[in-house]
Amino acid sequence: MTSTTAPACRVCGASLREFLDLGRQPLSDAFLTPDADPSEEFFFHLAVGHCTGCTMVQLMEEVPREKMFREDYPYHSSGSSVMRAHFTATARGLLDRELTGEDPFLVELGCNDGVMLDTVRQAGVRHLGVDPSAGVGDVARAKGVRVRTAFFEEATAREIAAEDGRADVVYAANTLCHIPYLDSVFRGLDAVLAPGGVFVFEDPYLGDIVERTSYDQIYDEHFYLFTARSVAALAERFGFELVDVERLPVHGGEVRYTLARAGARTPAPAVAALLAEEAERGLAEPETLDAFATRVARSREDLLALLTRLRDEGRTVVAYGATAKSATVANYCGIGPDLVSFVCDTTPAKQGRLTPGAHLPVRPATAFAEPHPDYALLFAWNHAEEIMAKEPAFTASGGHWITYVPEVRVL
Ligand code: SAM
Ligand code: TMP
Ligand code: ZN
């Protein structure tokens, strides 16, 4: 007799309740070379559930980490001037507030191309970036940043503690939510953090995702969608405590969480305030998540209706920004080259390739003006201000931007 077991929460083991099914999806960052064999493309089932125990929102299926974070991982954090400024300010804040003792030491998980650590390096502060994607790590090394090419987990943390000593700060941006094996990560944090040290991390916030129907924040790499409530429970489970939270405008809405060892610091009032706001909104309640899923389905209908109408009217439509997020939208909605001719993107590693699953050609940003299309679908809606500021000629020539966050709209 065979039986299928429903997936259990990766944090606490309680049962998961699925609330959103985004269908068959590719690896969001696996851009195909034009001669690649499409039959070899990897797909998985993208569905999201919430834990009936600790409330953590997470994917129902886990993609093997080696498939996502490889030598040729194409995402380079320094591609956005807004994000460069954000990480310079972040580094300065950590230097001023946490790294003031004698010979301080900072470890960053997912340091990517060194966008944050370069400022720490320039300040002469001891640091180590940990990132499994060798290509982006090499870019960081070329800046003089120290990088270990590895997945952060318990074993890596123990090696770092033995070689470099304990860290005053462990920092991670847009990385912790990528790591299903948080039990190993937290045992590692316990090994590598100094007794009074802090773990600071920032990731897309479920509160913003639900509020803006930004379902494209859900893809293979984003295994968890955190809330203050689920993070507080996670921290407590592993002997830590949520001592501060800060909402951030970047990437469509994130929260920066600060964790310390339980009892080591007095939690800031912002923690209780955000927990109360989440309770008031019923953020972890099944009804709230089901209503979100209904809005997601509606968003797909609206976007397909708009793009189909524009095609039937003979308008030219291209997309702007071959974001990982856009893989979810293109594959869930079925947006192929018949609806969007190509995507322009400044990342050399994506250009000349096809987007995962939907197979939209990726062309350099210069292709946008050769000539300007009638409509441009903002796949990188989280960088809208920056992109619109550098493409004034598009609207001046009569072009229109299309967004789908918080709803499908021609701007
Ligand atoms: N921190 C940068 C930022 O915010 O722009 C990079 C974010 S990027 C979306 C995620 C990074 O996490 C990738 O460079 C990936 O290789 C790295 N990563 C994935 N799993 C990791 C792990 N277990 N330990 C450390 N880094 C990891
Ligand atoms: P992200 O939303 O994950 O940061 O990805 C942004 C993508 O959009 C990345 O592939 C770079 C691209 N991009 C442009 O092509 N032009 C731009 O001006 C910006 C800010 C991003
Ligand atoms: Zn749980």
Side-chain angles (χ1 to χ4, degrees):
M1 200 175 77
T2 56
S3 68
T4 47
T5 330
C9 173
R10 275 300 243 126
V11 175
C12 79
S15 61
L16 294 178
R17 175 185 166 278
E18 184 179 313
F19 62 87
L20 178 63
D21 185 347
L22 293 165
R24 186 172 172 267
Q25 291 278 350
L27 301 173
S28 59
D29 265 316
F31 291 80
L32 282 74
T33 54
D35 58 351
D37 177 359
S39 68
E40 305 229 314
E41 199 170 8
F42 176 88
F43 285 90
F44 74 109
H45 187 180
L46 181 62
V48 199
H50 64 103
C51 175
T52 54
C54 72
T55 77
M56 184 68 83
V57 171
Q58 59 203 277
L59 301 192
M60 304 296 286
E61 184 180 328
E62 185 177 331
V63 172
R65 63 187 189 177
E66 291 77 11
K67 287 197 180 296
M68 299 183 280
F69 308 115
R70 314 159 311 252
E71 158 77 39
D72 61 347
Y73 182 68
Y75 184 73
H76 288 239
S77 304
S78 297
S80 152
S81 60
V82 170
M83 292 313 297
R84 287 199 300 277
H86 170 77
F87 286 122
T88 302
T90 300
R92 294 216 176 103
L94 291 172
L95 288 165
D96 289 349
R97 286 197 303 275
E98 300 289 347
L99 297 163
T100 52
E102 202 182 314
D103 190 24
F105 178 41
L106 177 145
V107 172
E108 185 184 5
L109 321 185
C111 66
N112 200 272
D113 61 7
V115 67
M116 198 285 289
L117 283 183
D118 198 34
T119 304
V120 178
R121 177 193 68 79
Q122 285 170 38
V125 166
R126 275 200 310 133
H127 63 273
L128 179 68
V130 183
D131 200 304
S133 301
V136 287
D138 286 344
V139 177
R141 276 187 204 99
K143 297 174 180 164
V145 167
R146 266 186 86 217
V147 184
R148 177 185 285 250
T149 299
F151 287 97
F152 185 88
E153 56 191 339
E154 184 179 0
T156 327
R158 291 196 182 284
E159 285 165 22
I160 296 168
E163 289 167 26
D164 289 305
R166 299 234 194 166
D168 303 282
V169 175
V170 175
Y171 173 76
N174 306 300
T175 297
L176 197 72
C177 75
H178 294 49
I179 310 182
Y181 39 98
L182 291 179
D183 48 346
S184 175
V185 166
F186 273 85
R187 287 195 299 271
L189 287 170
D190 197 30
V192 79
L193 257 187
V198 285
F199 176 40
V200 181
F201 65 98
E202 57 197 63
D203 281 296
Y205 179 49
L206 182 71
D208 288 309
I209 294 169
V210 167
E211 189 180 324
R212 300 175 188 188
T213 317
S214 46
Y215 69 92
D216 57 345
Q217 293 284 13
I218 303 165
Y219 52 92
D220 56 346
E221 295 175 19
H222 287 181
F223 187 81
Y224 293 109
L225 303 175
F226 296 128
T227 61
R229 180 171 169 188
S230 62
V231 167
L234 169 73
E236 194 182 333
R237 187 171 186 86
F238 294 104
F240 286 81
E241 187 174 7
L242 179 59
V243 295
D244 206 357
V245 288
E246 183 186 351
R247 296 195 65 167
L248 305 172
V250 295
H251 287 312
E254 301 207 320
V255 170
R256 177 177 292 158
Y257 306 91
T258 302
L259 272 45
R261 287 199 164 77
R265 293 199 184 188
T266 306
V271 175
L274 190 56
L275 287 168
E277 186 186 317
E278 290 178 358
E280 169 82 14
R281 287 179 61 186
L283 189 54
E285 301 303 327
E287 303 74 41
T288 308
L289 298 170
D290 290 348
F292 165 68
T294 303
R295 290 196 301 279
V296 171
R298 171 77 194 270
S299 174
R300 166 166 68 176
E301 282 170 25
D302 291 350
L303 186 57
L304 267 183
L306 174 62
L307 294 177
T308 307
R309 176 171 66 77
L310 293 176
R311 180 194 57 195
D312 294 348
E313 289 172 3
R315 312 282 183 185
T316 51
V317 183
V318 310
Y320 205 109
T323 56
K325 291 184 285 298
S326 66
T328 296
V329 177
N331 289 283
Y332 173 65
C333 300
I335 301 171
D338 57 322
L339 294 175
V340 165
S341 333
F342 64 88
V343 193
C344 48
D345 194 288
T346 49
T347 315
K350 297 181 182 180
Q351 294 161 2
R353 299 195 173 214
L354 301 173
T355 63
H359 299 174
L360 304 171
V362 184
R363 299 179 57 190
T366 47
F368 190 53
E370 298 171 352
H372 280 121
D374 299 320
Y375 289 82
L377 178 60
L378 251 180
F379 273 164
W381 57 266
N382 50 314
H383 299 294
E385 270 183 41
E386 182 174 350
I387 290 170
M388 288 177 184
K390 69 170 150 184
E391 301 287 4
F394 170 55
T395 37
S397 73
H400 300 282
W401 293 102
I402 300 172
T403 189
Y404 41 82
V405 174
E407 69 248 323
V408 175
R409 218 153 41 98
V410 176
L411 302 179

